[in-house]
Every structure is written in C-alpha cells, then in structure tokens.
Amino acid sequence: MSEPLNRLERKLGYQFKDLSLLTIAVTHRSFSGKNNERLEFLGDSILNFAAGEALFKRFPQAREGQLSRLRARLVKGETLAILARGFNLGDYLRLGSGELKSGGFRRDSILADAVEAIIGAIYLDSGMDVARERVLAWLEDQFSSLTLVDTNKDPKTRLQEFLQSRGCDLPAYDVIDIQGEPHCRVFSVECGISLLKEKTFGSGSSRRIAEQAAAGAALVALGVENGAQHE
C-alpha cells in the first residue's frame, strides 16, 4: 500500500517518517479494529487549537464569541470534507465492504474524520509545530476569506457589530428622499460612519430596506464584504 500512500503524501505536502501512522489514519472502523478513531480524537484537538491560536493572532480586537464562531466555521465537517476531496482522500480510504457499497468514500463525515486522523498522525510523527504548519497551509484559502462580520445576519447588524469590534461610533442613517405614490414609495437613505469619508446610499420600498441597502454598501466600501454578499 506504500505506493498509493506516497501519492497521498504528496497531496498532503508531508512525508511520514512512520508510514504506518498514515495507514491507520485512512483506516475506517468498518475495515479493522485498528482504525483511525483514536487519531481522529487527537487530530480534532490539534485542529481546534491550531485554528484558535491563528484566529487569536489574526483578529486581535475580536471578542470571544466572534473567535468561537470563526473557529467553528474553519473546523466544521463540511470544510474538512472539502479539504479531503481536494486531496482525493476517498481514493485512499480503507473501508469495509458495507461502507464501500454504500459510498462511504464520498460521505462528508467519513472524509472529515479521516482529515482529523491525518492531523493526529502528523503530530505523532513530527510534533506540534509541523502539524500546525500543515493545518494552516491546508486552511489558507478559508482563512483569507474570514471576516468578523457574520453574513448570516442582516447588513445593518453586520455593520454595527463590525464597528463595535473596532470601538467606532454606530452608523447614522438619514432619509434623504421619498418618491412615488403612498402605495409604491421609494425611500433613499444615506449611511454615515466614521471609518469612511464618503457616505453610502441605499434605496428601497421602505425605510428599513433602504437602510439595509445603505449598510450593505458601507460594508463593501470598507472592504470587509464583496458586492455579492448583500442584496
């Protein structure tokens, strides 16, 4: 099995001194009693620490809740499964016949667990510094896209939390124009914040919608979101 695992090592960007650790890391419990569950437990702890430490350094003004949210996004199973597919990890997994027939090599949970097990294996093979370096290298694209803004919240809330995280005053919204008949009015709103020299603008069928649009424009102007992240 060493030749396929050598290919996997190249994808991982790491060569094992003890290749048996990688063999165990890709072994599912359905295949053998000697499987990757213990390595998965270890790797999960290392992944959470490495991601948490990196976020702590990257966002010095972030609150605990913000850091926890960002770490959860980095270490969630979906993110790890995407990494696994980038490594073509499903091709190297050792699965029992039942899991093979049911497509276990494509299942997010199995792929994510194997990534954590590989992290644990690298730690045992070379120590924390190397394991941390590999984790951060694998997650580089995800790290680069992170902001302190929770995009699940509406633009006004996202903007307010972003400004609060930097100790800035809250935004000021002013209605500058109302046009149309009472049943089909269009509101125009400007948003002023201390971090921008120019005010941003938004319009909509209600003051609330116009304010949301202006807040979204402010987030784009600040460079913390791109235009596709808000309506």
Side-chain angles (χ1 to χ4, degrees), residues 37-47 116 120-121 123-124:
E37 289 184 325
R38 284 172 54 83
L39 284 176
E40 174 200 338
F41 167 80
L42 182 61
D44 175 70
S45 299
I46 295 164
L47 172 63
E116 291 180 337
Y123 167 78
L124 292 179

Side-chain angles (χ1 to χ4, degrees), residues 56-121:
F56 184 85
K57 293 177 179 178
R58 184 182 180 93
F59 298 104
Q61 294 179 315
R63 299 186 299 274
E64 183 272 339
Q66 292 173 305
L67 293 173
S68 295
R69 173 177 58 79
L70 293 177
R71 183 176 63 183
R73 188 186 304 176
L74 285 172
V75 305
K76 66 182 180 180
E78 180 182 348
T79 302
L80 299 182
I82 291 171
L83 282 180
R85 292 189 176 94
F87 301 142
N88 294 324
L89 187 55
D91 296 344
Y92 304 94
L93 294 179
R94 303 169 80 198
L95 302 171
S97 59
E99 284 293 350
L100 279 173
K101 291 177 182 177
S102 66
F105 57 92
R106 292 189 298 264
R107 192 169 301 134
D108 278 9
S109 59
I110 290 178
L111 291 169
D113 290 347
V115 170
E116 291 180 337
I118 290 171
I119 294 170

Side-chain angles (χ1 to χ4, degrees), residues 1 3-11 22-23 25-27 84 87-95 105:
M1 184 162 175
E3 185 177 341
L5 288 184
N6 291 154
R7 291 197 296 270
L8 178 56
E9 286 180 315
R10 289 193 288 273
K11 294 177 183 292
L22 181 56
T23 301
V26 298
T27 302
F87 301 142
N88 294 324
L89 187 55
D91 296 344
Y92 304 94
L93 294 179
R94 303 169 80 198
L95 302 171
F105 57 92

